[in-house]
């Protein structure tokens, strides 16, 4: 097959031609699932611009002409953490300078201020606090919902959920999902709306043991999200790359997420297409679910109301590739990924995760100009106004990391897309100042 001309500039003196991308292009055009081998070719190809163009093609097929943002607020309830992950600059020990734990009154005040700013979402996460009782967390969710009933609480990463099951003495190694279910049900009852995607890091035991030993491993992280989906809660997922992992390990991470999403979508009634021979071989070691691709032309995207017993439906909404920032962490000696690697990684995520409705370029970590470029290379969402962010502080930023709606919408428009305000569940929002409602589809 001949290489299609692209409008991208070349990274080297002349145009780079990579014959392997021809057969990958054919699969993408037909909406077929890519193999891990295809993924390796996308990572290794010298023709990064065609990789980006292919991801852009898929993204435009799924979300023609639009890109999403939201008005949100991050709330870190505590940075006190029982763990000491090498990659993390956020955590503090209880008596260390800078350690904090927010009171319920402070959280209520934050919720009121979120409402005043017109936010539709509060993104709530924190360290694994060794001493707070379980009730603190249900009270926290209830407090936000009481002060701001319209706000969606997206809260608690998988490792926090397991920590809560432990402090509530509900976690049993022999039946860990029972404890996870217990915690998630209580948080949902209190008003939790969905789970954020944090804490996934890289689903590989070698990388896990070297960089984040003590955190839950991939099987437990996936269990938490599966149980959340079974309870009708949507969730997101991340991959933290550019530290001590190999690209092959990133691909395995993507494949594990893809399989988990196949199962979630199958539970919602999506029918899959038969796996190709190559994919069957890759999947031979586990119970096979049908391959469900959402990137094919004309496929109906899941919506919060497309199935499942509760609000949200029960599937992964978006993958958020997170570039590693070494500053202030124990891995400070590492360089972290460069801009082209970030762009390629986002494009590969779009192409490999063919059953994920959305790919998010989180502007806080990618920067706004890079997120804009990413909109043309696979991303359809740049996240939101954020306001406070304590987990990474790029280039010496403070915790006040806010961007205005005007800047978000300008960035999207300049990239050639119509900005669409969304709620946490990717429903269109109609707005009049700080008052808003979801547009019924
Ligand atoms: O879980 C920690 C990562 C995550 C570093 O679900 C680091 O919509 C880079 O998950 N360099 C938190 N990354 C952020 C997160 C997130 C952000 C925006 C939206 C959503 C969503 C989720 O940040 C952590 C960890 O994986 N992280 N330290 C670091 N030095």
């Amino acid at each position: 097959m001949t290489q299609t001309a692209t409008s991208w500039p070349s990274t080297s003196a002349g145009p780079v031609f990579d014959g392997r991308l021809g057969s990958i292009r054919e699969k993408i055009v037909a909406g077929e699932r890519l193999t891990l081998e295809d993924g390796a070719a996308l990572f290794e190809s010298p023709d990064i611009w065609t990789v980006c163009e292919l991801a852009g093609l898929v993204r435009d097929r799924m979300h023609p002409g639009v890109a999403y943002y939201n008005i949100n607020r991050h709330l870190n309830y505590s940075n006190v953490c029982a763990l000491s992950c090498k990659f993390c600059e956020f955590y503090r020990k209880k008596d260390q300078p800078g350690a904090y734990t927010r009171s319920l009154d402070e959280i209520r005040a934050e919720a009121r201020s979120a409402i005043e700013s017109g936010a539709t979402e509060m993104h709530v996460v924190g360290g694994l606090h060794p001493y707070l009782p379980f009730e603190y967390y249900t009270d926290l969710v209830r407090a936000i919902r009481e002060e701001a009933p319209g706000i969606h609480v997206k809260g608690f990463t998988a490792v926090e959920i397991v920590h809560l099951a432990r402090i509530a003495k509900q976690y049993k190694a022999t039946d860990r999902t029972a404890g996870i279910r217990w915690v998630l049900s209580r948080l949902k009852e209190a008003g939790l709306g969905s789970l954020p995607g944090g804490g996934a890091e890289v689903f590989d035991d070698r990388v896990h043991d070297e960089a984040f030993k003590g955190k839950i491993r991939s099987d437990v992280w996936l269990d938490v999200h599966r149980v959340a989906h079974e309870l009708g809660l949507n969730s997101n997922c991340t991959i933290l790359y550019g530290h001590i992992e190999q690209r092959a390990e990133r691909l395995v991470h993507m494949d594990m997420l893809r399989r988990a999403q196949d199962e979630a979508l199958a539970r919602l009634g999506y029918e899959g297409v038969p796996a190709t021979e190559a994919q069957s071989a890759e999947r031979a070691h586990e119970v096979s679910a049908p391959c469900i691709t959402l990137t094919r032309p004309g496929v109906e995207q899941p919506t919060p109301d497309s199935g499942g017993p509760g609000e949200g439906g029960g599937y992964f909404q978006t993958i958020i590739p997170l570039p590693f920032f070494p500053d202030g962490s124990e891995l400070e000696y590492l360089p972290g990924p460069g801009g082209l690697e970030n762009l390629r990684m986002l494009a590969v995520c779009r192409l490999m995760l063919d059953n994920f409705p959305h790919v998010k370029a989180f502007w806080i970590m990618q920067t706004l100009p890079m997120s804009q470029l990413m909109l043309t290379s696979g991303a359809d969402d740049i996240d939101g106004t954020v306001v406070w962010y304590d987990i990474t502080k790029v280039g010496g930023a403070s915790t006040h990391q806010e961007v205005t709606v005007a800047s978000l919408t300008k960035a999207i428009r300049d990239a050639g897309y119509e900005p669409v305000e969304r709620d946490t569940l990717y429903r269109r929002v109609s707005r009049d100042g700080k008052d808003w409602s979801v547009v019924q589809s």
Side-chain angles (χ1 to χ4, degrees), residues 87 123 154 196-199 201 236 240 320 323 325 360 362 389 392:
F87 69 87
H123 179 148
K154 177 177 77 176
E201 323 311 6
N236 297 338
L240 174 65
I320 309 138
F325 284 95
K360 185 189 287 190
F362 183 39
Y389 197 72
T392 50

Side-chain angles (χ1 to χ4, degrees), residues 231-295:
L231 292 171
L233 295 169
N234 273 3
S235 71
N236 297 338
C237 63
T238 53
I239 174 167
L240 174 65
Y241 66 93
H243 43 93
I244 59 160
E245 90 295 354
Q246 308 285 317
R247 282 162 155 184
E249 290 157 346
R250 297 185 203 169
L251 286 168
V252 169
H253 183 109
M254 292 178 207
D255 189 49
M256 288 167 87
L257 287 173
R258 196 163 67 171
R259 281 187 267 130
Q261 179 79 327
D262 278 342
E263 286 168 14
L265 293 177
R267 274 195 299 275
L268 297 180
Y270 271 78
E271 284 179 19
V273 294
T276 63
E277 262 174 46
Q279 284 147 17
S280 305
E282 275 169 12
R283 302 164 68 101
H285 62 285
E286 98 269 331
V287 185
S288 82
C291 289
I292 297 164
T293 54
L294 299 175
T295 50

Side-chain angles (χ1 to χ4, degrees), residues 7 12 36 48 52 113 148 193 212 253 289 307 335 340 350 372 391 405 407 427:
S7 54
S12 61
L36 294 190
I48 180 177
C52 291
S113 144
F212 26 91
H253 183 109
L340 285 180
R350 178 60 285 168
Q372 221 178 0
I391 297 181
V405 170
S407 302
R427 298 176 295 196

Side-chain angles (χ1 to χ4, degrees), residues 138-257:
T138 42
D139 288 350
L140 177 161
V141 176
R142 249 184 231 109
I144 295 174
R145 299 279 292 173
E146 276 167 21
E147 296 296 332
I151 279 212
H152 179 110
V153 181
K154 177 177 77 176
F156 310 109
T157 58
V159 67
E160 290 168 85
I161 299 295
V162 170
H163 178 67
L164 298 198
R166 288 204 171 104
I167 59 175
K169 302 207 176 350
Q170 296 291 328
Y171 196 72
K172 294 184 195 73
T174 47
D175 180 8
R176 60 184 183 230
T177 55
I180 292 168
R181 194 176 297 277
W182 188 92
V183 169
L184 284 172
S185 303
R186 270 146 196 85
L187 289 172
K188 187 179 174 199
E189 229 168 68
L192 182 72
S194 64
L195 295 192
E201 323 311 6
V202 180
F203 294 158
D204 178 85
D205 291 349
R206 174 195 74 81
V207 180
H208 175 277
D209 291 355
E210 214 174 311
F212 26 91
K213 202 173 173 68
K215 269 199 153 173
I216 54 174
R217 282 191 166 170
S218 53
D219 51 349
V220 185
W221 192 98
L222 288 165
D223 271 351
V224 171
H225 284 255
R226 179 176 47 76
V227 174
H229 295 163
E230 285 169 3
L231 292 171
L233 295 169
N234 273 3
S235 71
N236 297 338
C237 63
T238 53
I239 174 167
L240 174 65
Y241 66 93
H243 43 93
I244 59 160
E245 90 295 354
Q246 308 285 317
R247 282 162 155 184
E249 290 157 346
R250 297 185 203 169
L251 286 168
V252 169
H253 183 109
M254 292 178 207
D255 189 49
M256 288 167 87
L257 287 173

Side-chain angles (χ1 to χ4, degrees), residues 38 53 65 90 93 98-99 107-108 111-112 137 139 154 215 224 229 245 275-276 280 331-332 358 399 417 424 434:
D38 294 329
E53 184 234 342
F90 166 68
K93 295 301 162 191
I107 286 162
R108 280 181 189 279
R112 285 194 297 272
Y137 301 92
D139 288 350
K154 177 177 77 176
K215 269 199 153 173
V224 171
H229 295 163
E245 90 295 354
T276 63
S280 305
L331 299 178
E332 205 161 24
H358 302 280
T399 49
Y417 294 96
T424 310
K434 64 184 171 62

